[in-house]
Amino acid sequence: MAKHFHSELRNRPDLAVIAELVDPGHRVLDLGCGDGSFLKMLKHERGAKVLGMEIDQDLIAECIANGVPVVQSDLDAELDFAEDNSFDLVILSQTIQQMRRPDQLMRKIVRVGKLAAVSFINFGYFSCRMQLMLTGAMPRTKEIPYQWYNTPNIHLGTIKDFRRLCRHLGIKVIQEIPIGHSFPLLTRHWPNLFAVGCVFLLEKE
């Protein structure tokens, strides 16, 4: 894990996992980069050459203040600014569930990146299943704190769902890293049930 995470990233174990995938000199694109804190860390502590993509103007201003170059664009639009394989790693962290067409975005990221790191919240986590079964209402967890009517997450899926999507799109899964510290052995062997989230390392077949 990265040794000097900014305090605002300490509650994001998926970002710690992704940081370990970045080597010095890597060209890294973070889609939906927020205020650029994560890219700033990758730049200074992992020696990466970074670029962010963000739509919110206030967050773009914070990226600039953090010394992070950023492109203003909607993730549902084409990545026209990037040529094929122009980045060593494209990051999509806990964002895919907010996209209108996750399948189309997946095709784009494996086009512009030699590798892609995608993290997401696992709606198949046992706590979500139990809440839905016992209460009959949409689950709320630490990772999904919203009500059903105000959530930005419009495509809630499971680890199994994401594997199927990759197979459907012809995207190769190089590595699957489940996130969850409460039941490490169970998380490793049955991630769809015991992982709160997951990081997938992908490439185009």
Side-chain angles (χ1 to χ4, degrees):
M1 300 294 175
K3 294 180 180 178
H4 304 292
F5 265 91
H6 295 275
S7 59
E8 62 268 26
L9 300 179
R10 288 175 184 162
N11 294 323
R12 289 288 305 276
D14 61 317
L15 295 183
V17 168
I18 292 171
E20 286 295 294
L21 302 174
V22 178
D23 291 328
H26 268 183
R27 296 162 295 169
V28 177
L29 172 64
D30 188 1
L31 301 178
C33 65
D35 65 4
S37 295
F38 184 52
L39 285 179
K40 181 180 179 181
M41 188 277 294
L42 293 181
K43 177 181 178 181
H44 292 294
E45 298 183 15
R46 305 294 294 184
K49 300 174 183 178
V50 302
L51 177 65
M53 184 171 165
E54 180 57 56
I55 193 171
D56 186 287
Q57 290 186 349
D58 292 334
L59 292 175
I60 288 171
E62 293 186 47
C63 283
I64 295 170
N66 278 321
V68 171
V70 61
V71 174
Q72 183 174 19
S73 185
D74 184 344
L75 292 184
D76 283 314
E78 292 297 326
L79 303 179
D80 294 332
F81 65 89
E83 298 180 356
D84 292 4
N85 296 321
S86 55
F87 293 91
D88 295 296
L89 184 68
V90 178
I91 298 169
L92 188 67
S93 62
Q94 293 193 8
T95 302
I96 193 168
Q97 69 274 5
Q98 300 177 19
M99 297 296 98
R100 289 195 296 269
R101 289 296 302 271
D103 55 336
Q104 294 179 2
L105 181 57
M106 289 283 291
R107 289 191 177 100
K108 298 171 195 174
I109 65 176
V110 295
R111 175 184 70 80
V112 303
K114 296 175 183 177
L115 296 174
V118 178
S119 72
F120 60 91
I121 300 163
N122 177 29
F123 201 66
Y125 183 52
F126 80 94
S127 176
C128 294
R129 301 188 193 197
M130 292 296 292
Q131 287 186 54
L132 187 58
M133 181 177 69
L134 296 176
T135 69
M138 291 300 289
R140 295 178 67 193
T141 67
K142 178 183 176 182
E143 292 73 27
I144 313 172
Y146 308 97
Q147 297 285 356
W148 68 269
Y149 52 82
N150 64 6
T151 179
N153 302 314
I154 59 176
H155 292 294
L156 291 171
T158 70
I159 291 173
K160 276 190 175 181
D161 287 324
F162 192 79
R163 290 175 187 150
R164 289 172 178 168
L165 176 61
C166 290
R167 286 196 298 270
H168 173 71
L169 297 176
I171 294 173
K172 182 179 179 181
V173 176
I174 299 173
Q175 192 174 5
E176 182 180 318
I177 308 163
I179 304 296
H181 302 295
S182 299
F183 313 98
L185 185 61
L186 296 175
T187 298
R188 187 163 58 251
H189 289 287
W190 294 286
N192 197 55
L193 183 58
F194 291 103
V196 297
C198 196
V199 176
F200 278 81
L201 184 63
L202 311 168
E203 69 176 359
K204 187 175 182 180
E205 289 188 343

